[in-house]
Amino acid sequence: MEVEVRGVERYWNPILETLPPLKLKAYQFKKFKRIIAWAYEKSKLYRSIYDKAGFKPEHLKKWDDISKVPIVEKEDYLTAQAKEPWPYGDSLCVPLEKVTTYHQTSGITGQPVYQPETWQDWEWWSETWAFALWAHGFRNNDRVLIPFGYNVYMASWAGHYASEKIGCEVVPGGILNTEERILKMRELGVTSFMATPSYALNMAEVCRNNLGMDPREMGIKKILCSGEPGASVPNIKKRIEEVWNTKVYDQVSATEVGGWAYECASQPEGLHVNEAFFLVELVDVDTREPIEELNVPGKIVITAFDQYAQPCIRFDTKDISMWGKPCDCGRTFRILKDGIHGRVDHITKIKGVLFNPVSVEDVVRSTPELGDEYEIIVKKEREVDEVTLRVELAPDVSIPEDEIKRKLSRQLRLKTNLSFNLELLPPHTLPRPEVKVKRFKDYRI
Ligand SMILES: [Zn+2]
């Protein structure tokens, strides 16, 4: 195990990460007003939304006035980017010559959002990730593999630049396949890597089954997980930590927003919001009223204080979380308990019961007789909702399938209040994802 880091060495930015709450709030309000003024002056997108709502930057006199600023959604970006000049239309706030990098959202839920950055924006992006890496314990004696194809998506680049920034030695995993990546890790004595929770499990499986190597003996000291909810859910984290015999740290990032939340080495079963760079608000899903109480789920609305090419102000992420109690690591940044719980558009009603697919993942990961891959299928049969869980068995399971089904059924009912049809599949039947995976398939619409 690694030596615990104490004192200011614990923080990437010892001043900002430990600002007393009132000072932090004053700092945030100042930065909030600055980005609002910038967007109102430079962005046709924001100006038209604000004018339509009758909002002007000078209306921001006190903290509570923030709730008067209209919330924007992904669709607002898409509408603005559909205008001339292509590809950024009304969303770009700087001359095109100032744009130095291009990224885009994954487009899993439709048309992608194009993301321009100035060099200043891009420096800021890697800084947001540096806070996370440092809090996870990454230092200049780490050799880090980035096992993703470097392309138009953000995560591999941000992880790469931030690792370099804090002094790690970066091994770009680029176009290597999973087996080649693992062999490269062993060859070089890599100490850590970054992955989605699914891919971290997939890599362990390939390591064991295809290469005959034990992932627990690879000497991996930590894994940064990002890109999917899960690494803050205790059973999911535990499963990844066990298969790699390591520590897993969660980090949340979104292309339109930045790397805005991270887990610290104290692992408080939640994530610190980087409140020096972002204003994170939790609002009621229906009424959009602010939620300040602990343990009350709400939707996350984010402002990035320092994105200038394409500002992100009161952006509706559609992610769900809740505030948790403060962490003992000394950071004053607030905690989002269990990280991201899922997305509003994935939470649906089945047989009249509110259902979040992440709760099924929690059950699957806490059942040792089950493998890592599964899918949830919802259909309508004779006007009645039917929900099926298809899940792979772990290799060499000796317990009868009926017994596993009984146990699984009980756990699912406890967590979701629903009865599932269960299909237990042989190991390695379902496809293995490298990046984001669609495990929830709702065929009712
Ligand atoms: Zn902490």
Side-chain angles (χ1 to χ4, degrees):
M1 275 299 118
E2 288 178 287
V3 179
E4 195 199 344
V5 183
R6 294 180 186 280
V8 291
E9 279 292 303
R10 186 186 277 188
Y11 314 109
W12 174 247
N13 188 320
I15 296 171
L16 291 177
E17 290 181 86
T18 58
L19 270 182
L22 281 178
K23 277 195 176 163
L24 183 58
K25 223 168 170 178
Y27 180 75
Q28 288 187 300
F29 194 49
K30 202 171 167 182
K31 287 183 103 175
F32 186 82
K33 285 195 288 191
R34 187 175 70 180
I35 195 68
I36 287 276
W38 170 265
Y40 193 73
E41 187 192 333
K42 306 281 187 186
S43 165
K44 287 183 187 166
L45 158 65
Y46 280 98
R47 184 183 274 254
S48 70
I49 290 172
Y50 293 169
D51 282 347
K52 214 176 280 173
F55 170 78
K56 298 232 175 295
E58 51 270 30
H59 293 164
L60 277 175
K61 300 231 183 317
K62 55 183 189 313
W63 181 268
D64 290 347
D65 295 333
I66 290 173
S67 61
K68 293 178 185 162
V69 180
I71 288 175
V72 299
E73 300 191 355
K74 181 183 166 187
E75 287 66 32
D76 295 314
Y77 283 95
L78 295 175
T79 307
Q81 293 187 340
K83 296 185 179 163
E84 292 294 326
W86 187 84
Y88 305 118
D90 281 354
S91 76
L92 187 64
C93 293
V94 295
L96 196 55
E97 308 86 82
K98 295 275 184 197
V99 175
T100 57
T101 53
Y102 168 85
H103 296 96
Q104 65 175 60
T105 59
S106 65
I108 278 181
T109 48
Q111 166 74 15
V113 173
Y114 303 139
Q115 183 71 21
E117 289 111 23
T118 64
W119 189 250
Q120 183 185 331
D121 288 335
W122 184 238
E123 286 282 344
W124 171 86
W125 249 99
S126 55
E127 182 71 3
T128 66
W129 273 65
F131 273 73
L133 287 166
W134 194 265
H136 304 337
F138 284 79
R139 294 293 185 273
N140 58 10
N141 54 359
D142 275 301
R143 183 172 288 143
V144 186
L145 179 91
I146 317 247
F148 288 121
Y150 285 54
N151 54 26
V152 291
Y153 306 128
M154 184 67 86
S156 47
W157 295 105
H160 184 117
Y161 275 67
S163 302
E164 281 184 345
K165 191 169 193 169
I166 68 172
C168 301
E169 180 182 344
V170 188
V171 181
I175 59 166
L176 302 179
N177 65 30
T178 304
E179 288 181 18
E180 290 165 338
R181 286 168 181 164
I182 293 164
L183 290 172
K184 188 56 75 183
M185 274 165 44
R186 189 178 63 170
E187 177 191 339
L188 297 176
V190 158
T191 59
S192 48
F193 65 89
M194 304 179 183
T196 59
S198 309
Y199 192 59
L201 288 168
N202 183 6
M203 283 172 81
E205 195 179 43
V206 169
C207 186
R208 237 181 354 247
N209 298 336
N210 303 24
L211 299 169
M213 289 154 40
D214 185 348
R216 289 171 301 177
E217 289 170 6
M218 290 281 289
I220 298 298
K221 292 189 180 128
K222 53 197 161 285
I223 303 172
L224 179 157
C225 278
S226 192
E228 282 172 5
S232 287
V233 177
N235 283 324
I236 302 173
K237 181 194 281 295
K238 190 165 161 245
R239 182 126 173 180
I240 307 170
E241 289 188 335
E242 279 175 2
V243 293
W244 283 100
N245 186 29
T246 192
K247 283 285 189 188
V248 166
Y249 296 101
D250 195 9
Q251 191 266 16
V252 191
S253 180
T255 309
E256 306 92 329
V257 183
W260 60 271
Y262 55 87
E263 190 174 0
C264 68
S266 295
Q267 298 198 301
E269 297 191 349
L271 303 174
H272 285 283
V273 170
N274 186 340
E275 296 188 286
F277 286 178
F278 301 92
L279 175 67
V280 171
E281 301 168 76
L282 218 53
V283 301
D284 185 275
V285 172
D286 300 315
T287 64
R288 289 184 168 182
E289 284 296 311
I291 297 170
E292 296 295 340
E293 305 93 308
L294 306 190
N295 304 319
V296 178
K299 191 164 65 162
I300 299 166
V301 170
I302 303 189
T303 301
F305 296 135
D306 310 278
Q307 288 240 58
Y308 286 96
Q310 185 167 276
C312 170
I313 302 171
R314 298 204 86 211
F315 176 68
D316 181 353
T317 64
K318 305 211 187 306
D319 286 329
I320 301 282
S321 189
M322 58 171 75
W323 294 119
K325 58 182 192 309
C327 180
D328 62 12
C329 71
R331 287 178 181 81
T332 46
F333 294 171
R334 284 182 294 174
I335 294 288
L336 285 176
K337 192 177 171 189
D338 294 342
I340 304 300
H341 305 185
R343 286 179 62 76
V344 174
D345 37 16
H346 290 173
I347 293 175
T348 180
K349 277 195 173 171
I350 298 176
K351 297 178 189 169
V353 176
L354 218 51
F355 173 75
N356 182 351
V358 175
S359 51
V360 172
E361 176 152 6
D362 195 19
V363 172
V364 170
R365 302 290 184 235
S366 63
T367 310
E369 295 82 14
L370 299 180
D372 294 322
E373 278 310 320
Y374 67 93
E375 59 183 15
I376 307 160
I377 294 164
V378 187
K379 284 183 188 161
K380 239 186 198 348
E381 294 287 339
R382 291 186 290 276
E383 293 305 302
V384 180
D385 293 340
E386 288 250 322
V387 55
T388 303
L389 172 65
R390 304 181 75 228
V391 58
E392 289 181 7
L393 285 164
D396 308 322
V397 170
S398 53
I399 301 169
E401 288 195 10
D402 279 355
E403 202 174 307
I404 298 171
K405 277 189 178 174
R406 262 199 306 278
K407 179 175 159 190
L408 189 55
S409 190
R410 207 167 42 235
Q411 287 300 321
L412 287 167
R413 177 163 271 287
L414 217 63
K415 280 271 178 189
T416 67
N417 273 324
L418 289 167
S419 299
F420 282 68
N421 301 321
L422 297 174
E423 284 182 35
L424 300 181
L425 309 169
H428 318 301
T429 322
L430 294 168
R432 266 44 184 168
E434 183 164 314
V435 279
K436 292 188 183 182
V437 58
K438 193 171 161 60
R439 294 201 175 93
F440 179 58
K441 297 170 182 172
D442 192 343
Y443 295 116
R444 290 174 300 176
I445 312 145

